[in-house]
Amino acid sequence: MTGVAHDAHRDARRDDWLTPDGSPVARPTHLLAHLSDTHLTPAGVRYNAVLDADAALGRAVDVLAAAVADGRRLDGVVVTGDLTDTGDPDAYRRLRDALDRLGVPVVYATGNHDVRTEFHRSLLGRESEQPVLQVHDLSGLRVVVLDSTIPGHGHGRLDADHLAELTAVLADPAPHGTVLALHHAPLPAPSPLLSYFALEAGSRAALARALAGTDVRLILAGHHHLPQTGLLAGVPVAVAGSTAIRTDPLAPAGHERTWASGAFGVVEFYPDTLTVSTIPVDGADMVFDLDADGCRTIVERHPID
Ligand SMILES: [Fe+2]
Ligand SMILES: [Fe+2]
């Protein structure tokens, strides 16, 4: 979906915020939601035999829908692969229906659990067996999507031709810079199985070389089922947790252990920086919810000399 007008003043959330030195409150130019590894299964099949992946996605979308209804700015959603667990066409339809509810552009990458041709057919509306480089313009912020999958395999690779296409796109900078999105995170893996199914080292190095001197501000990825941040050639990398499960990086040696704990990311772009926040969606209890008057009361109790 497209058509949300860019309006830096639409989100009035910060209108009455103060700073300790009286400087202006920093306002983001763009805000993206970053979801990953939704792993939607065929109807009637539980993810990993126990989880309802549609319900897990629904919990994340509910949080975002409530924020949008509350007037929060949202320029788009990026979903970094393993959208479905087995490439079921109906699962792609359900994913699209769930996210179109938000009324903002949605950008999809494919993952090793997806089926490339079905992903292309269901979400890009095209027939192709080859990797498709997608370029999206979200109000001046360019989102370039890579396909890091190898059909029939779990690990990741970036073909030379695909990276050459990326280099050609990045030759011209975008007004607000570029975000790259791909499934296989170009970072060390957090667990034994994910190490075996990682992006090939040569691809990680080639991607690092392709970023040199470009306007890429951030890389969004998935596959690890764990919110993570790192760097690739000095460029920040943000890995979104799965909406359904969380890998345990502190499991006993040799163990691959996961928890029924979903999350997604919120990325806020500022003129001179960006922030990535992780939003768990596993049913935690609220502790407090101060309104603007309540916040003002706290401020007044803490005068600055
Ligand atoms: Fe996954
Ligand atoms: Fe994956």
Side-chain angles (χ1 to χ4, degrees), residues 37 39 82 225:
D37 295 82
H39 280 274
D82 282 359
H225 299 180

Side-chain angles (χ1 to χ4, degrees), residues 31-37 76-81 107-110 138 141-148 178-187 199 207 211 216-224 228-230 232 235-241 264-269 274-277:
L31 192 149
L32 300 181
H34 176 200
L35 278 62
S36 200
D37 295 82
V77 179
V78 178
V79 197
T80 46
V107 174
Y108 296 101
T110 188
L138 300 183
L141 181 69
R142 180 166 59 186
V143 180
V144 180
V145 182
L146 296 166
D147 182 339
S148 60
T178 296
V179 177
L180 283 189
L182 77 167
H183 180 62
H184 292 84
L187 290 177
L199 184 68
L207 180 59
L211 300 179
V216 175
R217 302 175 65 181
L218 175 68
I219 300 171
L220 299 177
H223 190 55
H224 289 178
Q228 287 184 304
T229 54
L232 180 71
V235 175
V237 180
V239 182
F264 67 90
V266 168
V267 188
E268 295 184 83
F269 296 87
L274 58 88
T275 62
V276 179
S277 306

